[in-house]
Amino acid sequence: MAQKRAVLAVLLFLPISLVEAHNRVSVEAGHEAVLSCPNIFKVPFLLVTWRSSCSSCCLLSYRTDLKKISRLNCSERIKWKYSSVRDPALHIYPVSLRDEGNYTCEIASSEGNFNFFSSLTVIVPPTVTLTQDKIRVAVCQASAGKPPADISWIPASNHSSEEEFHHPNGTVTRVSYFGWANSSFPSVTCLITHPAMNQTLVMDLRDTSHDFPGLLYILIGAAAGVGAVTGLTLCLIFRCRACWLCKQARGPAEHFTTKTWKFRVRREAVKPPDFPEPIYENYHSRSIYVCL
């Protein structure tokens, strides 16, 4: 009877094992990854072990008779999903690129030893930008994505080109170029498609200020020049005005004679009504230099 049950277990497990061997899990970086290890016979197992494909990677096991958990080269991010040993799923959070790879769940029970295989793929969403260069070319870039993002344009153009750069961590940067030098499109749209995200970026082509990268500096220089000329003109106007007021304050030109007798006679004949006589008696030639 026991032999029949063993044979039946092998026959029942064989098709399921083939399905589980191709179990694939894709998780975005930073999220939670759960790898299942089902107990298909619903009987208590003696030992369950999770191991990754590399020999020096994590090994996590639980022995039911001793109620003992063993960890080897496993970080705190890797643990059992549930406390119950009836569902020994593996839990990884937060998942990162270094967790990517193949994992094997080994179950030892009274029915025999069975292996379940899972393949973990970590998805990294790219960083997208849409810029333009000096030769009227739109540049749409999806940086450090895994897998590489797909880039398309609206409207479609035969003048678009694309290149990609591979990084050591497995991510890829794709850059697409769209030229519109001889077209009259009001705008251009970049479409980025990725398993972790879909994004649309729009650029208005009617703003041609980017064709003159030095325009801003030219305007600033012109404004500075106008300001300098205006300041010099105002300075000359104020200086002339000050000299004129100074001359008005001294009175007619005849007062500047150096002859004392003529100065006094003229001063008595034409006496400024607003200034007393002592101002002419104390007159000094330096005042002429100051008012010039």
Side-chain angles (χ1 to χ4, degrees), residues 180 182-187 205:
W180 75 92
N182 299 322
S183 64
S184 58
F185 299 132
S187 64
L205 303 182

Side-chain angles (χ1 to χ4, degrees), residues 5-20:
R5 291 182 58 185
V7 173
L8 180 60
V10 173
L11 293 177
L12 291 175
F13 174 75
L14 182 58
I16 298 177
S17 176
L18 293 177
V19 175
E20 292 294 329

Side-chain angles (χ1 to χ4, degrees), residues 69 132-133 148 174 200 229:
I69 296 178
Q132 51 191 5
D133 60 14
R174 274 189 176 169
T200 301
V229 173

Side-chain angles (χ1 to χ4, degrees), residues 34 83 87 109 183 245:
V34 178
S83 59
D87 188 4
S109 69
S183 64
L245 291 176

Side-chain angles (χ1 to χ4, degrees), residues 141-142 145 147-151 161-167 171-177:
Q141 180 168 316
D150 293 326
I151 301 177
S161 60
E162 187 175 285
E163 60 181 344
E164 64 180 34
F165 307 92
H166 295 262
H167 306 291
T171 60
V172 179
T173 294
R174 274 189 176 169
V175 185
S176 183
Y177 305 92

Side-chain angles (χ1 to χ4, degrees), residues 239-240 242-244 246-247 250 285-292:
R239 186 175 181 85
C240 293
C243 292
W244 181 79
C246 188
K247 292 179 181 180
R250 288 199 303 265
S285 60
R286 290 183 179 180
S287 61
I288 299 177
Y289 178 79
V290 172
C291 292
L292 289 178

